[in-house]
C-alpha cells in the first residue's frame, strides 16, 4: 500500500535568468509616420519611447525568443539542461495552440522528455507560472523547473488602432528554479486572481463569434488585440496597489522591507501611482517601459534579468513580482531569493 508522501523540507531558489529581445526597434517617431499620434502624447501618457519588434523574415518568433532566453538562463544557472524536469511558458502569442510553444522550445533547447506546457494568463502569465512552478518544487514533485514569459505582441497589433498599438512590444525572459536545502529561500506570500466578468476589456478575437456584443466585428480586425484602455487603466491602477498591499499583509512585512519590486510594465503612470501609495523609492521599483513598451508576459522576467545583470536581486533579498493583464488576471509572488 502506498503511503501519502510528506513534502520534503526544502526551499526554492532562482538559480539563473536570461532574456531575449529582437534587434528591430519601433520608435515613437516610426509610429508618427504610420498613424495620427505624437512622441509627446505617447511619452506623457505611457512613458514609452520605443519597443522591440520581431522580424518573421529572419525567423524571429515566440519560439526563437523563448529558445534564446531559456538558453541564456540555463548558461547563467550553470546547470546541465538534462536536469530540467518541466518547462512552463506563459504566452498568449505562441505560433499555434497545438503544439504548445513549450514543446517546440523544449525540443530546440534539448530538454529531452521533460514536461512542457503553455500557460494562458496574458500579462500575468509569467508570475502565474512562477507561483505554480515554485509550489511544485516545494512539495517535491519536481527538482528543477524552467519558467519563461514571452509575448510577440507586434504580431497581434492593428497599427490603425492607435489607442492600443502604441503600447506593446516583443520580448522573452526566463528563470531556472531549483530545490535547495536552504528552507529560507522561496516564496513567502503569493496571490493568483482573475475576474472573468471583465474579459471583454482586453481580448484577442480569432473569429467573428468571439467579439462581444458591445463591439462591432466589422469595425475591428480579427486576430488583433482589443482593449478598452481607459477602463483597464482604472481597474489596473487600484488592483496593482491592492495586490502589493495584500501580498505584504500575507507575508507580515512592510513595503520598505522589500528590496525590489519587479512589476509588469503596463504604463509608467500606473507604476508611479503604486510607488507613491506605498512610499517606495524610485530605485526599488524598476522601470524599462521606455525601452521596450508593454511586453505582456515577457515584461517581468526581462526586468528581473536586467536587474540581476547590474547586481540587484541578490541572494537573501526580498523581491516582489507583480503583474496584471487580460482575463482580467492579476498575480503576485514575494520571494526571499
Ligand atoms: O498590460 C495590459 C494592460 N493594459 C494596460 O495596462 C493599458 C491601460 N490603459 C492605458 O495605459 C491608457 O488608457 C492608454 C495609454 C491606452 C490611453 O490613455 P488614456 O489617457 O486613457 O487615453 P484615452 O483612451 O482616454 O484617449 C484620450 C484621447 C482620445 O481623444 P479624444 O477623444 O479625447 O479627442 C483618444 O482618441 O487621446 C486619443 N488617443 C491618442 N492620441 C494620440 C488615443 N490614442 C492616441 C495616440 N496618440 N496614440
Amino acid at each position: 500500500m502506498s503511503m501519502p508522501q510528506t513534502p520534503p523540507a526544502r526551499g526554492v531558489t532562482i538559480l539563473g535568468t536570461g532574456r531575449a529581445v529582437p534587434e528591430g526597434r519601433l520608435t515613437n517617431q516610426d509610429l508618427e509616420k504610420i498613424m495620427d499620434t505624437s512622441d509627446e502624447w505617447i511619452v506623457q501618457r505611457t512613458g514609452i519611447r520605443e519597443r522591440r519588434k520581431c522580424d518573421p523574415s529572419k525567423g524571429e518568433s515566440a519560439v526563437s525568443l523563448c529558445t534564446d532566453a531559456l538558453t541564456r538562463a540555463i548558461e547563467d544557472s550553470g546547470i546541465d539542461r538534462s536536469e530540467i524536469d518541466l518547462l512552463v511558458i506563459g504566452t498568449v502569442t505562441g505560433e499555434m495552440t497545438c503544439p504548445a510553444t513549450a514543446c517546440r522550445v523544449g525540443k530546440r533547447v534539448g530538454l529531452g522528455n521533460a514536461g512542457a506546457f503553455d500557460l494562458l494568463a496574458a500579462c500575468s502569465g509569467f508570475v502565474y507560472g512562477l507561483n505554480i512552478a515554485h509550489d511544485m518544487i516545494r512539495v517535491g514533485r519536481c527538482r528543477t523547473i524552467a519558467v519563461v514569459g514571452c509575448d510577440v505582441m507586434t504580431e497581434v497589433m492593428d497599427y490603425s488602432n492607435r489607442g492600443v498599438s502604441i503600447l506593446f512590444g516583443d520580448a522573452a525572459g526566463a528563470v531556472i528554479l531549483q530545490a535547495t536545502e536552504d528552507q529560507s529561500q522561496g516564496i513567502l506570500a503569493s496571490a493568483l486572481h482573475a475576474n472573468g466578468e471583465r474579459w471583454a476589456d482586453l481580448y484577442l478575437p480569432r473569429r467573428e463569434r468571439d467579439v462581444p456584443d458591445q463591439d462591432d466585428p466589422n469595425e475591428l480586425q480579427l486576430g488583433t488585440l482589443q482593449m478598452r484602455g481607459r477602463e483597464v487603466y482604472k481597474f489596473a491602477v487600484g488592483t496593482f496597489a491592492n495586490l502589493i498591499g495584500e501580498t505584504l499583509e500575507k507575508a507580515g512585512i512592510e513595503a520598505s522591507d522589500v528590496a525590489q519590486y519587479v512589476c509588469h510594465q503596463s504604463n509608467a503612470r500606473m507604476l508611479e501611482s503604486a510607488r507613491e501609495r506605498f512610499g517606495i523609492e524610485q530605485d526599488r521599483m524598476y522601470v524599462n517601459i521606455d525601452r521596450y513598451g508593454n511586453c505582456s508576459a515577457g515584461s517581468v522576467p526581462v526586468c528581473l534579468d536586467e536587474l540581476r545583470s547590474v547586481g540587484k536581486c541578490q541572494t537573501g533579498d526580498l523581491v516582489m513580482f507583480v503583474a496584471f493583464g487580460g482575463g482580467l488576471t492579476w498575480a503576485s509572488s514575494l520571494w526571499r531569493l
Side-chain angles (χ1 to χ4, degrees):
M1 195 177 90
S2 66
M3 297 294 287
Q5 267 188 320
T6 313
R10 45 167 37 176
V12 182
T13 180
I14 297 179
L15 264 190
T17 59
R19 67 179 184 274
V21 294
E23 275 182 19
R25 289 178 153 82
L26 192 59
T27 64
N28 291 350
Q29 288 71 25
D30 294 329
L31 293 177
E32 282 175 350
K33 290 179 197 144
I34 58 170
M35 63 177 76
D36 180 15
T37 192
S38 67
D39 174 54
E40 193 194 354
W41 191 96
I42 300 173
V43 172
Q44 205 179 58
R45 303 282 174 129
T46 70
I48 302 168
R49 294 184 186 277
E50 63 176 34
R51 356 57 214 114
R52 299 301 183 94
K53 187 177 185 334
C54 279
D55 181 350
S57 75
K58 290 186 187 159
E60 289 172 345
S61 66
V63 170
S64 75
L65 288 184
C66 289
T67 302
D68 292 347
L70 178 55
T71 304
R72 287 170 193 149
I74 292 170
E75 275 166 22
D76 184 48
S77 67
I79 60 159
D80 190 285
R81 58 203 59 207
S82 64
E83 291 179 54
I84 294 175
D85 302 312
L86 178 66
L87 168 62
V88 182
I89 299 187
T91 185
V92 289
T93 52
E95 275 106 278
M96 292 179 262
T97 45
C98 181
T101 305
C103 296
R104 296 172 68 202
V105 172
K107 162 84 179 126
R108 281 207 192 177
V109 177
L111 300 189
N113 292 333
F117 69 92
D118 290 357
L119 187 158
L120 277 176
C123 303
S124 314
F126 175 78
V127 181
Y128 259 68
L130 197 61
N131 284 343
I132 291 163
H134 169 279
D135 292 354
M136 285 185 77
I137 294 174
R138 182 81 97 185
V139 299
R141 300 263 175 266
C142 295
R143 182 168 177 271
T144 308
I145 303 183
V147 183
V148 182
C150 172
D151 273 306
V152 179
M153 297 305 288
T154 61
E155 275 184 4
V156 293
M157 285 300 115
D158 168 3
Y159 285 98
S160 68
N161 183 351
R162 65 178 183 170
V164 180
S165 58
I166 52 118
L167 286 173
F168 293 92
D170 305 340
V175 297
I176 307 294
L177 308 184
Q178 194 167 69
T180 169
E181 283 177 10
D182 181 351
Q183 291 176 47
S184 72
Q185 288 186 287
I187 291 180
L188 303 182
S190 65
L192 296 176
H193 292 295
N195 178 357
E197 275 179 34
R198 301 287 302 263
W199 73 267
D201 285 348
L202 193 54
Y203 69 99
L204 188 42
R206 271 194 273 170
R207 296 150 301 207
E208 205 172 306
R209 67 170 194 251
D210 299 334
V211 177
D213 291 343
Q214 60 264 50
D215 289 340
D216 181 350
N218 299 313
E219 284 181 9
L220 57 80
Q221 202 179 307
L222 293 173
T224 66
L225 191 73
Q226 306 299 314
M227 180 178 78
R228 276 173 250 285
R230 176 116 324 169
E231 281 72 22
V232 174
Y233 187 89
K234 277 193 255 164
F235 188 82
V237 87
T239 303
F240 223 88
N242 292 342
L243 184 57
I244 292 177
E246 172 191 344
T247 315
L248 291 171
E249 198 181 314
K250 275 185 183 171
I253 61 167
E254 302 293 323
S256 56
D257 295 328
V258 177
Q260 203 61 234
Y261 291 83
V262 186
C263 300
H264 173 49
Q265 306 287 302
S266 47
N267 184 316
R269 287 188 293 149
M270 232 184 262
L271 297 175
E272 191 62 18
S273 129
R275 203 174 63 69
E276 279 173 6
R277 172 154 157 203
F278 290 96
I280 299 163
E281 298 90 341
Q282 224 161 6
D283 66 348
R284 291 195 297 121
M285 188 178 277
Y286 191 62
V287 177
N288 65 11
I289 194 170
D290 52 322
R291 288 178 288 131
Y292 301 129
N294 177 342
C295 302
S296 184
S299 283
V300 168
V302 167
C303 287
L304 174 63
D305 188 56
E306 288 196 340
L307 282 161
R308 285 179 85 244
S309 63
V310 294
K312 295 196 171 161
C313 296
Q314 296 291 312
T315 304
D317 283 352
L318 288 181
V319 172
M320 192 190 294
F321 302 96
V322 188
F324 170 88
L328 299 174
T329 55
W330 60 107
S332 66
S333 194
L334 174 68
W335 284 67
R336 183 176 300 284
L337 295 180

